[in-house]
Amino acid sequence: MATLAFDNKKYLLIQRRAILKRIKDFGDKLYLEFGGKLIDDHHAARVLPGFEADAKLQLLLQFKKEAEVIVVVSAQDLNSNKVRGDSNLSYEAEVERIIEAYSAIGIPICGVVISMYEESPNIKEFSRMLKNMGVKVYKHYKIEGYPKDLPKILSKDGLGKNEYVETHRKLVIVTAPGPGSGKMATCLSQLYHAHLRGKKAGYAKYETFPI
């Protein structure tokens, strides 16, 4: 009799407990960098027989009342019309898909961050589209000397220039249309501004495989 290599129910239980512990440890506010595909993660399912392709969706459904989402996309990727290799969707279209996917399961979008912000017709059109969807847009800027020049980064001319995304729930999922979009930098920016406001918050990265 074949035995599955992965216990999906146990996985969901362990991940939920770990996230709840992190939220508590950081003063009831956690920015969770969330990578990979939310649904149809067939790569993970192939690697670990027993892992369900929508396991991450099942997990997030358990946090519907505690969670909200920030989507991050790089201005450079928008201006270069970057396309996802697995779906052939442009990053602009992928951001729209992400917003619709989370909204469909009842987890609100608190905003889209455009990282490495710069003015361009593409960015203006993208921002207009989001505003027409009722989604707030925030600008984050390139910081000279990032990530080594800490005095500059941790100043009003570094992270201080970024617009602060107002959030209202304990768990803030930070996701993106692809790698290199600026998820971690957005989390750090949020922590910096939270500290200035006297608010406690922490950061963690969600890894699909807890190995």
Side-chain angles (χ1 to χ4, degrees):
M1 178 178 176
T3 301
L4 287 177
F6 194 84
D7 188 331
N8 200 76
K9 289 184 179 179
K10 186 175 182 180
Y11 169 81
L12 294 175
L13 179 63
I14 292 173
Q15 290 284 28
R16 176 175 170 78
R17 286 175 177 172
I19 291 172
L20 288 172
K21 183 178 186 301
R22 289 293 182 93
I23 293 172
K24 184 177 180 180
D25 289 346
F26 288 123
D28 280 344
K29 188 74 165 188
L30 177 67
Y31 290 93
L32 184 63
E33 180 184 341
F34 201 89
K37 299 180 72 174
L38 176 63
I39 55 177
D40 299 328
D41 194 344
H42 296 294
H43 167 70
R46 284 194 302 270
V47 173
L48 289 177
F51 183 94
E52 296 180 12
D54 67 343
K56 283 178 278 188
L57 175 62
Q58 293 178 44
L59 176 66
L60 293 180
L61 284 172
Q62 298 179 45
F63 288 97
K64 281 180 64 171
K65 294 182 179 180
E66 296 99 342
E68 56 191 332
V69 178
I70 295 174
V71 185
V72 186
V73 61
S74 167
Q76 294 178 345
D77 290 338
L78 293 172
N79 284 330
S80 66
N81 297 310
K82 191 167 184 178
V83 173
R84 281 190 64 103
D86 57 350
S87 64
N88 287 324
L89 287 176
S90 68
Y91 272 34
E92 178 181 303
E94 181 66 12
V95 168
E96 188 174 0
R97 190 193 70 83
I98 291 170
I99 292 170
E100 291 173 350
Y102 279 98
S103 298
I105 63 173
I107 299 180
I109 307 295
C110 46
V112 170
V113 169
I114 301 178
S115 64
M116 309 287 281
Y117 186 84
E118 55 187 28
E119 291 284 349
S120 76
N122 276 7
I123 301 301
K124 287 182 180 178
E125 181 58 33
F126 178 68
S127 299
R128 188 180 300 113
M129 178 197 75
L130 292 172
K131 289 174 182 177
N132 288 339
M133 293 173 65
V135 177
K136 293 182 179 180
V137 179
Y138 298 86
K139 303 171 184 176
H140 284 195
Y141 300 93
K142 183 177 180 180
I143 303 173
E144 284 188 30
Y146 184 90
K148 295 182 179 180
D149 189 351
L150 290 181
K152 176 67 177 292
I153 295 166
L154 301 174
S155 74
K156 64 179 183 180
D157 296 318
L159 294 175
K161 288 177 62 178
N162 292 341
E163 294 179 347
Y164 178 61
V165 183
E166 291 289 345
T167 61
H168 307 284
R169 297 189 174 187
K170 295 181 179 182
L171 177 61
V172 182
I173 300 160
V174 181
T175 189
S181 295
K183 297 189 296 292
M184 183 176 181
T186 296
C187 292
L188 294 177
S189 181
Q190 288 294 109
L191 293 180
Y192 174 84
H193 284 279
H195 177 73
L196 292 181
R197 289 164 171 75
K199 299 179 179 180
K200 293 182 178 180
Y203 161 81
K205 182 175 181 179
Y206 179 95
E207 297 287 359
T208 301
F209 303 131
I211 298 173

